[in-house]
């Protein structure tokens, strides 16, 4: 049967059943998704749309469907991958000139697992250069634009028609909202229906922040639960592959596919991963949910705070115990991250020297001059400034005062979480972002570092402690933009995290966009 446009935005679970019953051909689904990538090109979600590969993979899925040998629930499902994950034979640019022509010879483990599960790669999504940002506005290929709040949203309706008037009067694409970052392209691709799931990366909130602004689910797993092999590093000690989907169930399907130990990544947890199953009966009674008082900061908008309190009330009415808690070192998390980020960036970026791979400048006067010119041309101002700051922090005379002190503060932040868990708290509920998505013209009034300090305030501490965290869309603001909340759990408590996230999702019934 032909796949119509208004069917493309259903969940992986639903469309997977249609593929399994042969009601839908993977190739038809892929054609519809590819058509949408063309129609929504002004949003700049993709750096590279893999047209031919997607067609080939979908035809292979068709063959498996015909022979009744589908590989699982993700077989035939269109996905996208953030362009800092290596994909064999496909460019992996990190949204930079430095890697504009880089084509890896191997797949990142997470993408390999998705490919082996039969999923279809739609393309590589846009990001802030080398994932250094919180808006997806610092890409060599131009900024990405949020579907919500854009004139292209007029091509959609909302599942819940009580909100239908809130998307009728949209500004033009000249007056657009950011998608968040640095995984903004992946969030746009999912929210718009160009794919059903996407990989992001999360070092300080780079999956959860754009998920919040684009009205999708964004999961950062426990550090080490998912392999980083093939993820071009930003901050090795905090980088985690993230998952963006439209529903919690879809997020779980992807997590069950990509999680587990990997011999190619020494930081993965060596215990075999047992796939998570969520009960159809979601009972949250008896759970202790903490509300950290430090997250109620002056920059928190009235709408987000009201949203936070309303969901807290719903949890309490369902039998959960909601109580205030304290994470006293939260206020130092951003400055601590700023130091550690720059130190690891300085180290990681040193490999781009213009010799082995990446951009090589036209310079032959000396090796030092070649290094300098290649790096000056290949990196943008944001990357160069972080390299310079990181090298300064790592100087022998500065090492103790910056790097060592930052590591000590990081330990205190992690200990704050441990004390909360030891007190019997099961989960923490916080805002994901302090406001709805800002407009681009307002966002760029502050520099990259200033914006990261604001945008990562609620999300970054989970990376410091290596904890799992998820952003769940809750409702629309008065201006029709998504508002979300974040749940955090102890390490390796993804089942508990996802169970409560799904309960919230079922209760609030966030009105997703559906093509007309």
């Amino acid at each position: 049967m032909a796949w119509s446009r208004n069917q493309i935005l259903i969940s992986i679970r639903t469309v997977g059943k249609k593929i399994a019953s042969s009601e839908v051909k993977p190739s038809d689904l892929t054609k519809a998704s590819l058509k949408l990538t063309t129609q929504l090109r002004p949003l700049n979600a993709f750096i590279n749309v893999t047209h031919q590969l997607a067609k080939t993979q979908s035809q292979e899925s068709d063959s498996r469907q015909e022979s009744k040998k589908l590989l699982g629930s993700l077989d035939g499902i269109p996905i996208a991958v953030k362009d800092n994950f290596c994909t064999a034979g496909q460019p992996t640019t990190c949204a930079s000139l430095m890697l504009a022509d880089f084509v890896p010879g191997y797949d990142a483990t997470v993408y390999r697992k998705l490919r082996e599960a039969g999923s279809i790669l739609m393309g590589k999504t846009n990001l802030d250069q080398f994932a250094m940002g919180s808006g997806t506005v610092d890409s060599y290929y131009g900024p990405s634009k949020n579907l919500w709040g854009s004139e292209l949203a007029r091509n959609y309706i909302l599942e819940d028609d009580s909100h239908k008037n809130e998307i009728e009067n949209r500004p033009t694409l000249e007056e657009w909202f950011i998608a968040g970052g640095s995984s903004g392209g992946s969030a746009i691709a999912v929210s718009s229906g160009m794919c059903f799931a996407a990989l992001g990366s999360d070092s300080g909130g780079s999956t959860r922040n754009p998920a919040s602004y684009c009205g999708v689910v964004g999961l950062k797993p426990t550090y080490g639960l998912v392999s980083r092999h093939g993820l071009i590093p930003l901050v090795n000690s905090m980088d985690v592959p993230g998952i963006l989907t439209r529903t919690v169930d879809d997020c779980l399907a992807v997590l069950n596919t990509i999680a587990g130990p990997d011999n190619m990544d020494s930081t993965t947890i060596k215990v075999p991963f047992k796939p998570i199953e969520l009960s159809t009966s979601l009972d949250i009674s008896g759970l202790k949910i903490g509300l950290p008082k430090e997250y109620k900061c002056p920059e928190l908008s009235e709408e987000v705070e009201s949203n936070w309190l309303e969901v807290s009330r719903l949890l309490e009415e369902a039998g959960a115990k909601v109580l205030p808690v304290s994470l006293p070192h939260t206020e130092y998390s951003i400055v601590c991250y700023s130091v550690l980020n720059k130190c690891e960036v300085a180290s990681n970026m040193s490999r781009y020297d213009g010799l082995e791979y990446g951009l090589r400048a036209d310079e032959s006067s000396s090796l030092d001059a070649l290094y300098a010119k290649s790096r000056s041309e290949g990196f943008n101002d944001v990357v160069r400034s972080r390299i310079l700051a990181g090298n300064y922090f790592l100087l022998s005379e500065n090492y103790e005062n910056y790097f060592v002190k930052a590591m000590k503060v990081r330990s205190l932040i992690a200990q704050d979480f441990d004390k909360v868990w030891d007190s019997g708290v099961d989960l923490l509920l916080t805002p994901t972002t302090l406001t709805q998505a800002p407009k681009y013209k307002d966002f760029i009034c502050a520099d990259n570092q200033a914006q990261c300090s604001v945008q990562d305030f609620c999300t970054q501490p989970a990376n410091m402690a290596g904890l799992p965290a998820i952003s769940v869309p809750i409702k629309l603001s008065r201006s029709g933009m998504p508002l979300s909340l974040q749940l955090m759990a102890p390490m390796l408590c993804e089942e508990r995290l996802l169970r409560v996230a799904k309960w919230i999702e079922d209760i609030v019934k966030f009105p997703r966009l559906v093509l007309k």
Side-chain angles (χ1 to χ4, degrees):
M1 74 181 250
W3 190 254
S4 64
R5 292 177 70 216
N6 65 354
Q7 290 176 304
I8 199 170
L9 292 184
I10 57 180
S11 69
I12 290 175
R13 171 177 284 190
T14 305
V15 78
K17 291 179 180 178
K18 291 182 179 292
I19 290 173
S21 65
S22 297
E23 293 179 62
V24 173
K25 289 180 64 175
S27 57
D28 288 337
L29 185 60
T30 298
K31 288 175 186 176
S33 294
L34 288 172
K35 182 178 180 181
L36 199 53
T37 65
T38 300
Q39 293 170 335
L40 297 179
R41 189 173 295 154
L43 297 177
N44 203 26
F46 286 90
I47 291 174
N48 175 33
V49 177
T50 52
H51 292 275
Q52 190 54 54
L53 178 61
K55 290 175 183 177
T56 299
Q57 289 178 337
S58 67
Q59 289 164 0
E60 292 170 351
S61 188
D62 281 354
S63 298
R64 292 191 294 271
Q65 183 189 53
E66 291 168 6
S67 61
K68 307 295 182 183
K69 295 181 179 179
L70 289 169
L71 300 172
S73 62
L74 296 184
D75 203 337
I77 301 296
I79 63 158
V81 173
K82 187 176 179 179
D83 203 27
N84 58 346
F85 288 91
C86 290
T87 45
Q90 300 294 328
T92 299
T93 71
C94 284
S96 69
L97 176 59
M98 177 61 78
L99 293 180
D101 297 320
F102 174 56
V103 179
Y106 69 99
D107 288 326
T109 297
V110 284
Y111 171 61
R112 175 183 60 78
K113 288 184 174 183
L114 288 171
R115 175 175 55 77
E116 291 174 349
S119 60
I120 314 300
L121 181 63
M122 292 293 104
K124 306 295 291 294
T125 56
N126 204 8
L127 63 149
D128 292 293
Q129 191 168 137
F130 284 97
M132 297 183 202
S134 55
T136 313
V137 300
D138 290 317
S139 166
Y140 175 68
Y141 300 93
S144 294
K145 302 176 181 181
N146 200 332
L147 173 64
W148 290 91
S150 84
E151 62 184 3
L152 292 175
R154 297 169 188 165
N155 297 320
Y156 293 75
I157 58 173
L158 291 169
E159 288 179 322
D160 181 351
D161 62 6
S162 67
H163 296 275
K164 64 183 179 180
N165 293 329
E166 294 170 315
I167 64 169
E168 288 182 353
N169 299 313
R170 292 305 191 189
T172 67
L173 281 174
E174 300 302 316
E175 183 85 0
W176 49 275
F177 295 82
I178 67 162
S182 61
S183 308
S186 290
I188 297 165
V190 172
S191 69
S192 63
M194 290 185 271
C195 63
F196 287 80
L199 294 179
S201 62
D202 197 312
S203 307
S206 285
T207 294
R208 289 160 288 154
N209 172 281
S212 175
Y213 286 159
C214 292
V216 297
V217 176
L219 172 68
K220 182 202 92 69
T222 298
Y223 183 85
L225 184 64
V226 179
S227 173
R228 295 187 298 113
H229 175 64
L231 168 60
I232 294 176
L234 174 65
V235 184
N236 304 61
S237 65
M238 298 183 213
D239 293 344
V240 179
I243 302 168
L244 296 115
T245 58
R246 291 170 63 81
T247 70
V248 173
D249 280 333
D250 289 356
C251 191
L252 176 58
V254 176
L255 178 66
N256 281 339
T257 301
I258 67 175
D262 179 15
N263 290 332
M264 301 298 290
D265 178 7
S266 62
T267 64
T268 53
I269 296 167
K270 302 311 176 187
V271 179
F273 175 73
K274 183 180 179 181
I276 297 169
E277 294 184 12
L278 295 182
S279 170
T280 53
S281 176
L282 295 169
D283 183 11
I284 65 165
S285 60
L287 286 177
K288 292 178 70 175
I289 312 292
L291 307 183
K293 64 180 184 180
E294 288 79 10
Y295 285 67
K296 187 179 178 181
C297 61
E299 295 82 6
L300 185 66
S301 75
E302 175 272 325
E303 283 193 282
V304 173
E305 183 178 357
S306 174
N307 206 24
W308 188 16
L309 295 175
E310 174 63 17
V311 172
S312 302
R313 183 185 62 78
L314 292 173
L315 288 165
E316 205 160 27
E317 290 176 352
K321 183 178 180 181
V322 178
L323 66 160
V325 298
S326 178
L327 299 167
H329 294 95
T330 292
E331 63 179 300
Y332 306 115
S333 185
I334 289 297
V335 67
C336 177
Y337 176 66
S338 178
V339 172
L340 296 177
N341 174 296
K342 291 175 174 64
C343 290
E344 294 203 37
V345 163
S347 175
N348 285 324
M349 296 297 110
S350 63
R351 70 194 68 190
Y352 305 110
D353 55 17
L355 292 179
E356 296 174 87
Y357 65 98
L359 177 73
R360 174 178 285 199
D362 183 15
E363 174 59 60
S364 58
S365 61
S366 71
L367 189 59
D368 285 344
L370 173 63
Y371 285 170
K373 189 171 182 181
S374 296
R375 292 164 69 80
S376 178
E377 292 179 1
F379 296 137
N380 67 4
D381 291 342
V382 173
V383 178
R384 288 196 298 269
S385 68
R386 292 199 188 190
I387 292 171
L388 290 170
N391 282 324
Y392 175 79
F393 295 149
L394 292 171
L395 289 172
S396 58
E397 61 266 35
N398 297 328
Y399 186 78
E400 288 285 337
N401 284 331
Y402 289 97
F403 183 77
V404 172
K405 283 186 177 179
M407 288 298 292
K408 290 179 179 178
V409 173
R410 181 178 182 178
S411 295
L412 293 173
I413 293 168
Q415 288 170 20
D416 284 348
F417 284 105
D418 290 340
K419 290 175 182 176
V420 168
W421 309 136
D422 290 344
S423 72
V425 170
D426 296 296
L427 292 167
L428 296 175
L429 177 69
T430 74
T432 309
T433 53
L434 300 175
T435 66
Q436 68 174 37
K439 289 184 178 179
Y440 173 73
K441 66 177 184 179
D442 299 323
F443 186 80
I444 60 173
C445 288
D447 63 25
N448 177 279
Q449 182 58 56
Q451 282 293 1
C452 288
S453 297
V454 174
Q455 300 298 327
D456 295 345
F457 180 83
C458 298
T459 53
Q460 207 293 308
N463 296 81
M464 282 285 180
L467 304 175
I470 191 168
S471 179
V472 183
I474 304 298
K475 64 187 294 186
L476 297 182
S477 69
R478 288 186 288 270
S479 57
M481 297 297 291
L483 299 173
S484 301
L485 292 176
Q486 174 182 232
L487 288 166
M488 291 182 278
M491 293 182 70
L492 297 176
C493 289
E494 271 78 2
E495 187 277 334
R496 183 192 307 166
L497 184 79
L498 291 162
R499 173 160 51 94
V500 177
K502 181 169 172 55
W503 184 90
I504 292 173
E505 178 183 72
D506 290 345
I507 290 294
V508 300
K509 293 180 171 50
F510 178 77
R512 300 179 185 89
L513 291 170
V514 180
L515 280 165
K516 291 180 180 177

